Amino acid sequence: MAARALLLASLVLSCFLLPACYGTVLFSSLQRTLEVTASPTSGQVLKGGVDKITVTWGLNQTVAAGTDSTYKTIKVKLCYAPISQVDRGWRKTVDNLKKDRTCQHKIVARPYNAANSTAQSHEWTVERDVPTATYFVRAYAYDADEKVVAYGQTTDARKTTNLFRVQAISGRHVTMDTCSICFSVFSVVSLFGFFYNEKRKAKRPQ
């Protein structure tokens, strides 16, 4: 009985100590096997809701044959660069991917095409709710169990190269601004017209 209790306690403890027991994946454990490129040039500023990004991904041709045998899905995401994570805990990078907040904006998810592993791409319009910040693009490869097994990104390991910015929309619309200006001009003209008519009335002989 005591031996059974000890075994059960050991299993429970091991599940807390070993991430694999409960499906946790550490970013540091992943291999960078995907080549990922994006259309923005380094330092380019994109406007939310207007500009587009073309992302291309594929298997790095230097890896061993069969490396991608477990890849079933590719998920591409827009990720915060370190400069836009400072003093922003809600964007914090954590090695545990379940807790990581680096890549919060989904670009696309597609089945992995092993027959065309060198050239897959997607054009994405930067969404209007993407915050103003500096970004890079990362792609994750998932297996049949929806577990991350590999990755690739448009920047270096320190996330300092090939970064671009997104300028969020202000919340104002051009049509609304135009109407506001027209209304203001109309109000001023009407006010002058009112005073002019009042002045003419005052000058008329009684």
Side-chain angles (χ1 to χ4, degrees):
M1 188 70 179
R4 182 179 297 178
L6 181 60
L7 178 60
L8 180 60
S10 299
L11 289 174
V12 172
L13 181 61
S14 64
C15 283
F16 279 102
L17 296 178
L18 298 177
C21 285
Y22 49 91
T24 297
V25 177
L26 303 181
F27 182 77
S28 58
S29 71
L30 300 178
Q31 290 187 327
R32 185 172 178 172
T33 62
L34 300 176
E35 286 290 337
V36 183
T37 60
S39 55
T41 57
S42 181
Q44 183 176 352
V45 179
L46 306 177
K47 295 181 180 179
V50 177
D51 292 324
K52 297 181 179 181
I53 296 175
T54 299
V55 183
T56 303
W57 64 91
L59 185 68
N60 188 319
Q61 296 304 294
T62 63
V63 301
T67 298
D68 60 345
S69 61
T70 61
Y71 299 0
K72 298 300 180 184
T73 307
I74 298 294
K75 295 183 181 181
V76 184
K77 299 184 178 183
L78 187 66
C79 310
Y80 292 107
I83 192 173
S84 291
Q85 293 176 297
V86 178
D87 297 327
R88 295 175 173 87
W90 61 93
R91 300 177 181 175
K92 185 178 181 180
T93 293
V94 180
D95 196 29
N96 182 343
L97 288 180
K98 285 189 175 180
K99 299 179 180 180
D100 182 44
R101 303 296 295 166
T102 307
C103 305
Q104 300 183 28
H105 307 284
K106 176 183 174 181
I107 294 178
V108 68
R110 280 190 182 176
Y112 181 70
N113 186 354
N116 187 25
S117 60
T118 60
Q120 301 177 66
S121 63
H122 176 74
E123 185 179 73
W124 179 70
T125 300
V126 180
E127 295 177 353
R128 296 166 64 90
D129 60 350
V130 172
T132 296
T134 301
Y135 294 92
F136 64 95
V137 175
R138 177 181 290 167
Y140 287 112
Y142 290 74
D143 64 13
D145 297 321
E146 280 294 299
K147 177 183 176 182
V148 183
V149 292
Y151 82 102
Q153 59 189 30
T154 57
T155 187
D156 62 346
R158 297 180 62 186
K159 297 176 286 187
T160 58
T161 61
N162 298 325
L163 306 177
F164 57 90
R165 285 187 58 79
V166 169
Q167 179 65 51
I169 61 173
S170 64
R172 297 175 64 91
H173 195 277
V174 175
T175 303
M176 293 180 64
D177 288 342
T178 303
C179 291
S180 178
I181 293 172
C182 291
F183 183 76
S184 298
V185 171
F186 177 76
S187 298
V188 172
V189 172
S190 298
L191 185 62
F192 275 109
F194 173 77
F195 282 117
Y196 177 75
N197 288 332
E198 289 298 313
K199 189 173 182 180
R200 286 187 60 188
K201 290 179 181 179
K203 290 183 176 180
R204 288 178 182 175
Q206 301 296 327

